[in-house]
């Protein structure tokens, strides 16, 4: 089986699974964005994914993305999903349409400054470490409000949603309480701050169906589309 067939097959299966879970969860599949996560994936496979209708692509390393993006089709929305170091903020703001992985006020200020320089407003999600894992980045749930209290000070970032990466366990349904927690945090933030926080970025290859059942609007899929990678840092 060649690569073309593999991506075509896996994408068809993913779309079918999204459709079925939406049907049983009474959700509109049109509300779910499939983000193709392309770390370690080359431009040829990305080109094919675009030909097969994908538009939103995710990268978790700025350097890898800077090298890759110029060799990829232009009609792609690139989203940053990795831990962002402050010395990479300007490059990220220039290259990405959205940053899903904001995890500190300092980073927000840096993104705000870079976006102002760039003459645009930057859509971001706040990453929440819902399970409090020491190995993962993200806000502790209790720390979100301290950031949202002051978000009006930053005129060039637009907090459009929340993102999480739950602990990996063999049984994907173990992620359910963490997904529920993220949506509950969104509800309180809506109530307390009047933000709409439309983006709920949660669900990866092994747990995206549970994430959709719990309200995800953006599932981030790598392995199930492009094949297994070497195990990498998931934070
Ligand atoms: C790699 C990665 C994904 C995709 O993971 P898969 O298990 O390959 O689907 C999603 N989100 C983030 C933040 C990642 O780093």
């Amino acid at each position: 089986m060649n690569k073309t067939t593999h991506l075509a097959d896996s994408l068809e299966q993913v779309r079918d699974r999204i459709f079925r879970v939406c049907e049983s969860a009474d959700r509109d599949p049109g509300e779910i964005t499939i983000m193709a996560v392309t770390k370690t994936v080359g431009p040829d496979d990305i080109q094919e994914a675009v030909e097969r209708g994908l538009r939103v692509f995710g990268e978790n390393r700025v350097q890898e993305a800077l090298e890759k993006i110029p060799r990829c089709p232009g009609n792609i929305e690139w989203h940053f999903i990795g831990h962002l170091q402050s010395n990479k903020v300007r490059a990220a703001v220039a290259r990405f349409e959205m940053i899903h992985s904001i995890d500190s006020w300092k980073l927000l200020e840096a993104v705000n400054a870079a976006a102002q320089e760039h003459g645009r407003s930057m859509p971001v999600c706040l990453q929440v470490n819902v399970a409090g894992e020491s190995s993962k980045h993200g806000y502790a749930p209790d720390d979100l409000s301290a950031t949202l209290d002051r978000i009006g000070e930053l005129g060039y970032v637009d907090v459009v949603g929340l993102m999480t990466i739950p602990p990996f366990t063999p049984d994907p349904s173990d992620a359910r309480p963490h997904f529920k927690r993220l949506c509950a945090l969104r509800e309180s933030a809506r109530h307390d701050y009047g933000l709409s926080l439309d983006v709920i970025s949660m669900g990866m290859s092994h747990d995206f169906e549970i994430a959709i059942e719990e309200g995800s609007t953006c599932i981030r899929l790598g392995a199930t589309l492009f094949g297994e990678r070497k195990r990498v840092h998931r934070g």
Side-chain angles (χ1 to χ4, degrees):
M1 192 163 75
N2 68 29
K3 271 246 146 80
T4 305
T5 311
H6 177 75
L7 180 59
D9 281 356
S10 50
L11 191 53
E12 191 180 302
Q13 280 169 26
V14 161
R15 285 180 168 138
D16 194 52
R17 287 167 66 187
I18 293 172
F19 186 80
R20 273 182 287 151
V21 70
C22 281
E23 210 165 41
S24 69
D26 200 18
R27 295 195 58 194
D28 173 2
E31 293 171 7
I32 320 288
T33 299
I34 302 174
M35 177 200 292
V37 176
T38 48
K39 57 194 184 208
T40 77
V41 173
D44 291 348
D45 284 347
I46 293 174
Q47 165 87 43
E48 195 200 335
V50 170
E51 283 162 10
R52 299 191 182 280
L54 296 181
R55 281 295 171 270
V56 175
F57 286 71
E59 286 283 337
N60 70 337
R61 285 168 195 275
V62 174
Q63 197 52 43
E64 180 180 341
L66 292 182
E67 287 158 19
K68 195 183 292 182
I69 292 173
R71 295 152 60 213
C72 291
N75 52 347
I76 287 180
E77 235 186 78
W78 290 99
H79 291 209
F80 189 74
I81 59 173
H83 180 59
L84 186 54
Q85 292 161 322
S86 40
N87 62 342
K88 303 276 170 60
V89 165
R90 291 175 73 192
V93 165
R95 272 299 187 190
F96 290 92
E97 314 298 325
M98 202 194 287
I99 298 171
H100 289 235
S101 41
I102 296 290
D103 58 6
S104 72
W105 181 258
K106 195 169 146 256
L107 184 56
L108 268 176
E109 282 183 322
V111 169
N112 187 66
Q116 179 167 17
E117 247 176 69
H118 210 68
R120 65 179 296 200
S121 171
M122 189 74 203
V124 301
C125 291
L126 305 183
Q127 179 173 351
V128 188
N129 186 355
V130 279
E133 291 173 282
S134 58
S135 61
K136 289 223 171 94
H137 296 287
Y139 287 94
D142 288 346
D143 293 345
L144 268 186
S145 61
T147 283
L148 293 174
D149 279 339
R150 302 177 61 191
I151 202 69
E153 295 170 24
L154 306 178
Y156 295 86
V157 289
D158 187 11
V159 180
V160 296
L162 302 178
M163 179 273 223
T164 198
I165 307 171
F168 181 87
T169 62
D171 180 357
S173 59
D174 290 346
R176 193 184 298 282
H178 305 300
F179 293 150
K180 278 193 198 296
R181 184 88 197 275
L182 193 72
C183 289
L185 289 167
R186 191 245 309 253
E187 285 319 305
S188 355
R190 279 180 164 168
H191 177 264
D192 297 345
Y193 299 94
L195 293 166
S196 61
L197 299 174
D198 293 323
V199 179
I200 289 289
S201 172
M202 63 184 193
M204 299 166 49
S205 290
H206 84 295
D207 59 13
F208 71 86
E209 284 149 312
I210 309 286
I212 290 173
E213 286 172 357
E214 295 303 330
S216 174
T217 69
C218 178
I219 54 176
R220 308 180 309 265
L221 306 181
T224 195
L225 293 178
F226 299 107
E228 291 292 338
R229 303 171 299 276
K230 281 186 297 186
R231 201 98 182 118
V232 292
H233 176 62
R234 298 170 58 93

